Amino acid sequence: MSYGTADSLRTVTLDDVRGARKMLQGVARTTAMESSRHLSRTVGTPVHLKCENLQRTGSFKLRGAYVRIAGLLPEQRVAGVVAASAGNHAQGVALASSLLGVDSTVFMPKGAPLPKISATREYGAEVRLHGQVVDEALAAAEEYAADTGAVLIHPFDHPDIIAGQGTVGLEILEQCPEVRTIVVGIGGGGLAAGIAVAVKALRPDVRIIGVQAEGAAAYPPSLAAGHPVSVRAPATMADGIKVGRPGDVPFGIVGELVDEVRTVTEGELSAALLLCLERAKLVVEPAGASPVAALLSRPDAFDGPVVAVLSGGNVDPVLLERVLRHGMAAQGRYLAVRLRLPDRPGALATLLGALSVADANVLDVSHVRTDPRLGLTEVEVEVHLETKGPAHRTEVDRILRDAGYTVID
């Protein structure tokens, strides 16, 4: 969904990005560029992490939001701004509006994580909960704009937004002038388009690779068709790139300047998030970890030095717990088994003794006694275990079976 006006469909230039950078001085941080020895060994070339998860509000979104709102006419500022978002754009608009003295209203889905709702309010926006998904919240925001005259601040489909996000590209070239490949997550396309405008104008030899979640990958079919097409019911844990249709403005730029768009699975996203947390000591949301997921999925396919853009770190703690378990399971470090035991004293202690021999750490145990599938003298036990990898998982399963336990597959 986009503005569809002549202004919104104009191109974005390097001068626009440079102008945006001047506007953002003292507002957006020049975020850190961290080297990753682990990823460098895995990929076989130097890998650096551009830490936009450490940006104010926890993501790159402040850059574009501030440039867009700062460019409004005085009479537009008086009317205020409105936006729709599940989190990152909401917080960027809220803070940018507060810094510029503009009233902001943000529509968020009813299921948006509470920490993101609270943060958006604390940054100064009036939050209104509407609908179950962002598209429904966006429709409400558009209606509000039509009724009140407030300016709709789109999350990605406007040249000013793209120019603001492009300042990330300028920083990358300054912090890693030898870069040969930049990997960046793509939702609507604003960040990838902005980086591509800045980088390709100065270093056309740098390869730019976009990454989408497999369940919300609108760009590959859109690029094949030559125009934006919608993906029905996009599904992914990476809500920051969970966009069903590319923006009209970024789509043209991505199609011209981005060299390739790849997809990653939910398991790869989980493993990437876990790696960022364990090895880089960085809290990154699933969308922000998507470039790392791409590196892990095809480590031999990148010319280095490589810069992976960690676009955001606003992850809901409940989701983080689930994703970490998912990532541990994908790496063979987590195992859930169901077993049938005789329902008599000491049976559970004997099972735990067998697991001790297997050197598996028990995280959780649950009993079921009332299932009609169980015999009168049976109990079903589900045990959650921390293991040391795929080989250890196989060994634990063998030890349990050799000990005579019925493992339910």
Side-chain angles (χ1 to χ4, degrees):
M1 200 173 294
S2 67
Y3 289 96
T5 65
D7 178 66
S8 70
L9 295 178
R10 68 175 170 82
T11 188
V12 182
T13 67
L14 176 61
D15 285 342
D16 293 326
V17 179
R18 285 173 167 164
R21 188 173 196 186
K22 291 181 181 179
M23 198 176 294
L24 288 168
Q25 287 179 357
V27 176
R29 296 171 180 151
T30 298
T31 51
M33 180 80 73
E34 298 288 345
S35 298
S36 171
R37 285 182 294 177
H38 179 77
L39 282 172
S40 297
R41 287 195 299 268
T42 301
V43 178
T45 191
V47 175
H48 308 281
L49 305 175
K50 177 58 173 169
C51 301
E52 280 297 290
N53 59 311
L54 302 180
Q55 184 58 260
R56 296 178 70 178
T57 75
S59 87
F60 70 96
K61 289 288 190 178
L62 172 65
R63 297 174 184 261
Y66 188 90
V67 172
R68 174 75 174 108
I69 298 169
L72 297 178
L73 299 173
E75 57 269 28
Q76 291 176 309
R77 293 194 185 194
V78 170
V81 299
V82 62
S85 168
N88 288 347
H89 181 58
Q91 294 172 68
V93 168
L95 179 56
S97 299
S98 295
L99 292 173
L100 292 164
V102 178
D103 291 336
S104 61
T105 302
V106 177
F107 286 80
M108 304 181 75
K110 294 178 180 178
L114 289 178
K116 294 185 178 182
I117 295 173
S118 298
T120 302
R121 286 182 173 139
E122 289 173 6
Y123 285 127
E126 177 189 346
V127 175
R128 300 191 181 189
L129 302 180
H130 182 89
Q132 301 302 320
V133 296
V134 174
D135 285 345
E136 294 174 355
L138 182 56
E142 290 175 326
E143 183 178 349
Y144 178 90
D147 291 343
T148 66
V151 177
L152 179 66
I153 307 300
H154 198 283
F156 48 80
D157 210 7
H158 194 281
D160 292 345
I161 296 286
I162 294 170
Q165 322 303 30
T167 58
V168 176
L170 295 180
E171 291 178 15
I172 289 173
L173 292 183
E174 291 170 356
Q175 294 170 313
C176 185
E178 68 278 15
V179 62
R180 294 183 63 189
T181 303
I182 297 173
V183 190
V184 55
I186 295 186
L191 177 60
I195 289 175
V197 167
V199 171
K200 289 292 189 177
L202 296 169
R203 286 280 308 281
D205 59 302
V206 173
R207 185 170 175 80
I208 299 177
I209 298 176
V211 184
Q212 292 207 288
E214 195 174 70
Y219 262 92
S222 296
L223 292 170
H227 58 83
V229 299
S230 298
V231 171
R232 296 185 62 184
T236 175
M237 72 176 80
D239 58 349
I241 53 174
K242 186 181 177 181
V243 178
R245 182 186 184 277
D248 293 327
V249 185
F251 175 77
I253 297 171
V254 169
E256 179 182 355
L257 299 179
V258 172
D259 296 280
E260 183 182 354
V261 176
R262 298 181 181 177
T263 61
V264 292
T265 67
E266 299 297 282
E268 288 164 347
L269 286 168
S270 297
L273 189 152
L274 183 61
L275 184 146
C276 288
L277 186 62
E278 286 192 323
R279 305 306 296 264
K281 313 307 178 190
L282 292 169
V283 177
V284 181
E285 62 190 88
S290 59
V292 175
L295 294 177
L296 295 176
S297 68
R298 291 184 60 191
D300 59 344
F302 299 88
D303 292 329
V306 176
V307 172
V309 181
L310 308 183
S311 58
N314 293 318
V315 58
D316 178 31
V318 175
L319 175 62
L320 179 61
E321 180 182 11
R322 289 169 48 203
V323 170
L324 290 178
R325 286 203 172 192
H326 192 276
M328 289 177 67
Q331 292 186 355
R333 295 167 52 192
Y334 182 82
L335 175 64
V337 292
R338 288 188 299 141
L339 309 100
R340 297 278 173 85
L341 303 179
D343 190 10
R344 62 170 183 261
L348 180 59
T350 302
L351 170 62
L352 295 177
L355 292 172
S356 176
V357 170
D359 200 23
N361 185 35
V362 177
L363 301 175
D364 191 23
V365 179
S366 62
H367 286 74
V368 175
R369 284 190 169 87
T370 58
D371 194 312
R373 294 171 298 178
L374 294 171
L376 291 175
T377 60
E378 286 184 317
V379 62
E380 185 174 294
V381 175
E382 182 169 341
V383 185
H384 293 203
L385 305 167
E386 182 181 4
T387 52
K388 301 174 183 177
H392 189 211
R393 284 180 54 157
T394 301
E395 177 68 9
V396 170
D397 184 76
R398 183 193 63 77
I399 288 174
L400 290 174
R401 294 180 188 275
D402 287 352
Y405 290 104
T406 302
V407 179
I408 304 170
D409 296 320

